[in-house]
Amino acid sequence: MKAIIVEDEVLAQQELSWLIKEHSKVEVVATFEDGLDVLKYLQHHDVDAIFLDINIPSLDGVLLAQNISKFANKPFIIFITAWKEHAVEAFELEAFDYILKPYQESRIIGMLQKLEAAGQQRNTSPPASTAVRENITINLIKDERIIVTDINDIYYAEAHEKMTFVYTRRESYVMPMNITEFCSRLPESYFFRCHRSYCVNLNKIREIEPWFNNTYILRLRDLDFEVPVSRSKVKEFRQLMRL
């Protein structure tokens, strides 16, 4: 797996290079201090991952990532920055991770393990037309960090005005978007918008209880929580669940 580092602080660049070499098989093939130099390099070289600082000369990291996101074969982008406030922009660009300085070795190790696993999966996946997407991931935000999460780990999502709360078995996440936008990022074969305020993972339903006005209450595995099915969604839900 080949990677480049884009970082204009020499000591931070050296530290990250050492951590990558020490804890992974990722090969750092080049380092850069300037965003425009990176674009020139990528015109003639393919890389699997880019460790990208935000505050760099000529073209800042966010703008550089926006350009890279248009590539046909997009490398994984891992932001490395001292600035927490760009996490939402990173999420919107589908960044693989968002690492804050100063580096925590355990955090870097965890990210590298996920990166190598994602790289291996990408390299061994069949063409898109024939691929069976068993391990689909989505980026969730927790404490200014981007957490790459298997969609199978998500139980349900709940609308809170312009935000969406997402729940796994042990964690909750706050997404900076409404529930309609969030649900559009989830595969319809797994998730159902059962109510204007709820989206549920169909594979997590443990019990379906009839409720008033011919609606239903859904009880989920592992969680002590009930998700409602609205009247407008009952017909579609019955068809999905073959009721």
Side-chain angles (χ1 to χ4, degrees):
M1 193 173 194
K2 296 181 179 180
I4 61 174
I5 296 175
V6 188
E7 168 63 78
D8 63 342
E9 296 180 10
V10 176
L11 291 178
Q13 184 186 109
Q14 291 175 344
E15 181 184 7
L16 184 58
S17 295
W18 182 86
L19 287 168
I20 293 171
K21 183 178 179 180
E22 186 73 11
H23 298 294
S24 74
K25 295 181 180 179
V26 176
E27 179 187 4
V28 177
V29 295
T31 58
F32 298 90
E33 299 179 4
D34 184 283
L36 288 178
D37 290 341
V38 176
L39 282 182
K40 293 176 184 176
Y41 179 85
L42 294 176
Q43 289 176 4
H44 304 287
H45 301 83
D46 292 326
V47 297
D48 301 297
I50 300 176
F51 297 89
L52 179 58
D53 190 12
I54 289 178
N55 189 20
I56 53 175
S58 298
L59 188 67
D60 72 49
V62 173
L63 290 175
L64 179 56
Q66 289 173 350
N67 279 274
I68 294 170
S69 68
K70 299 174 184 177
F71 289 9
N73 296 315
K74 296 182 288 187
F76 297 112
I77 294 179
I78 302 95
F79 281 102
I80 47 172
T81 179
W83 305 96
K84 293 182 178 181
E85 56 265 33
H86 293 285
V88 172
E89 291 173 285
F91 170 82
E92 291 173 348
L93 289 168
E94 298 183 341
F96 184 80
D97 210 335
Y98 194 89
I99 305 291
L100 289 174
K101 301 176 184 175
Y103 302 133
Q104 295 181 2
E105 189 168 0
S106 60
R107 178 82 170 86
I108 297 291
I109 292 172
M111 175 272 297
L112 289 170
Q113 290 172 344
K114 290 192 298 182
L115 179 64
E116 289 187 302
Q120 184 176 12
Q121 181 179 347
R122 174 183 285 184
N123 292 333
T124 57
S125 296
S129 58
T130 60
V132 178
R133 298 188 65 191
E134 296 292 342
N135 297 312
I136 308 169
T137 60
I138 188 170
N139 293 344
L140 301 179
I141 294 179
K142 179 83 171 181
D143 300 328
E144 306 292 345
R145 295 184 294 133
I146 295 174
I147 310 298
V148 181
T149 305
D150 191 317
I151 56 96
N152 292 300
D153 293 338
I154 297 174
Y155 281 66
Y156 71 98
E158 181 179 6
H160 284 259
E161 297 182 351
K162 296 181 179 180
M163 312 292 281
T164 301
F165 289 10
V166 183
Y167 297 89
T168 64
R169 184 177 180 181
R170 296 184 175 88
E171 299 285 345
S172 62
Y173 305 84
V174 181
M175 304 304 296
M177 62 187 68
N178 62 42
I179 194 169
T180 298
E181 182 180 351
F182 179 75
C183 289
S184 70
R185 303 184 179 206
L186 299 171
E188 293 182 0
S189 57
Y190 287 78
F191 291 86
F192 177 61
R193 182 76 178 274
C194 58
H195 188 280
R196 67 179 183 178
S197 296
Y198 293 94
C199 182
V200 66
N201 186 337
L202 296 170
N203 293 325
K204 301 299 185 183
I205 297 174
R206 171 176 55 85
E207 184 179 331
I208 302 170
E209 180 180 339
W211 204 242
F212 65 93
N213 291 331
N214 296 316
T215 60
Y216 295 101
I217 286 291
L218 309 178
R219 293 190 174 89
L220 307 183
R221 298 172 185 164
D222 309 311
L223 297 183
D224 185 20
F225 188 79
E226 298 176 342
V227 177
V229 179
S230 66
R231 287 189 65 186
S232 63
K233 294 290 186 176
V234 164
K235 183 178 180 180
E236 187 178 356
F237 180 72
R238 285 175 175 166
Q239 291 172 343
L240 275 174
M241 304 303 290
R242 298 181 180 180
L243 297 175

